[in-house]
Amino acid sequence: MGLWSAVFLWFVTTARSTLNAIEKIEDLITPSLNDMGYDVVRVRLTGSESKVLQIMAEKPDGTMTIEGCAEVSQMVSALLDVEDPISGAYNLEVSSPGIDRPLTRPKDFQRWSGFEAKVELEQAVDGQRRYRGKLLGLENDMVVMQLDDGNRLELPFSEVRKAKLILTDELIAASTQRG
């Protein structure tokens, strides 16, 4: 096996291991956090030497306080201490999704309809993987957007690699009113 083949194999194996750990962590913490009145927005594990486990959570109404972050952190720490799904040392970071939040769940695309967003797909649609425009919601498992040129576009939710709101004056005003 050549050097590049070995590097590629290591990368694929590491990526799969990280995805499995993330799924395991999300499955582990979601029921307890739901019982506490929180929804898990995103679980992400980054770094190789110095790992960081990021948990984003919020109340069903979209709010999160500093006290809520502390409460979630304590619960997650206790669960992870027992199950130990991550090999080696890591830092736990618990936060709210923030104003220019990631869009990770179908309900996020509905809830934030009317606001500007960036969406990146796993596979290209019409020769393109990255889109920016106004969210129009989710219909039949398709993310519906209005592009800057006025065209309406439907993107398969199952192909969304990452998506997030774009910080605009309208989003800031709406977040201030909601919070």
Side-chain angles (χ1 to χ4, degrees):
M1 178 184 302
L3 175 61
W4 291 114
S5 297
V7 168
F8 179 74
L9 183 60
W10 173 84
F11 178 76
V12 169
T13 304
T14 302
R16 271 194 203 128
S17 174
T18 299
L19 287 174
N20 289 340
I22 291 169
E23 288 174 5
K24 189 182 276 187
I25 292 164
E26 193 164 348
D27 290 346
L28 175 67
I29 68 173
T30 297
S32 295
L33 293 185
N34 289 163
D35 288 347
M36 294 169 59
Y38 295 98
D39 292 333
V40 175
V41 175
R42 181 171 72 189
V43 176
R44 190 161 67 176
L45 183 62
T46 59
S48 55
E49 295 292 319
S50 178
K51 295 178 188 170
V52 175
L53 174 61
Q54 180 191 55
I55 310 288
M56 283 188 183
E58 65 186 2
K59 293 278 190 180
D61 66 0
T63 61
M64 178 56 113
T65 63
I66 293 171
E67 294 80 14
C69 287
E71 186 179 27
V72 168
S73 180
Q74 289 172 350
M75 174 59 75
V76 169
S77 291
L79 290 169
L80 296 179
D81 284 348
V82 171
E83 294 295 323
D84 199 22
I86 303 171
S87 61
Y90 62 92
N91 290 312
L92 175 62
E93 178 184 288
V94 175
S95 67
S96 75
I99 294 176
D100 55 344
R101 61 180 297 123
L103 305 168
T104 60
R105 306 161 294 178
K107 72 180 185 178
D108 295 336
F109 291 88
Q110 286 297 111
R111 179 182 203 171
W112 296 99
S113 178
F115 294 97
E116 297 289 317
K118 290 183 196 178
V119 176
E120 183 178 326
L121 303 174
E122 293 288 343
Q123 301 291 321
V125 169
D126 297 331
Q128 190 173 330
R129 286 185 46 208
R130 291 182 182 91
Y131 293 90
R132 179 182 173 140
K134 183 186 286 190
L135 280 180
L136 300 178
L138 193 73
E139 297 173 9
N140 301 318
D141 293 326
M142 300 293 278
V143 175
V144 184
M145 298 179 76
Q146 181 179 8
L147 302 179
D148 292 338
D149 63 8
N151 286 328
R152 179 183 156 111
L153 178 69
E154 294 185 0
L155 305 168
F157 177 77
S158 61
E159 287 294 318
V160 174
R161 181 170 186 232
K162 64 182 175 181
K164 68 178 271 178
L165 292 177
I166 297 171
L167 192 60
T168 62
D169 290 340
E170 294 80 15
L171 181 60
I172 293 169
S175 295
T176 303
Q177 292 172 354
R178 290 180 189 208

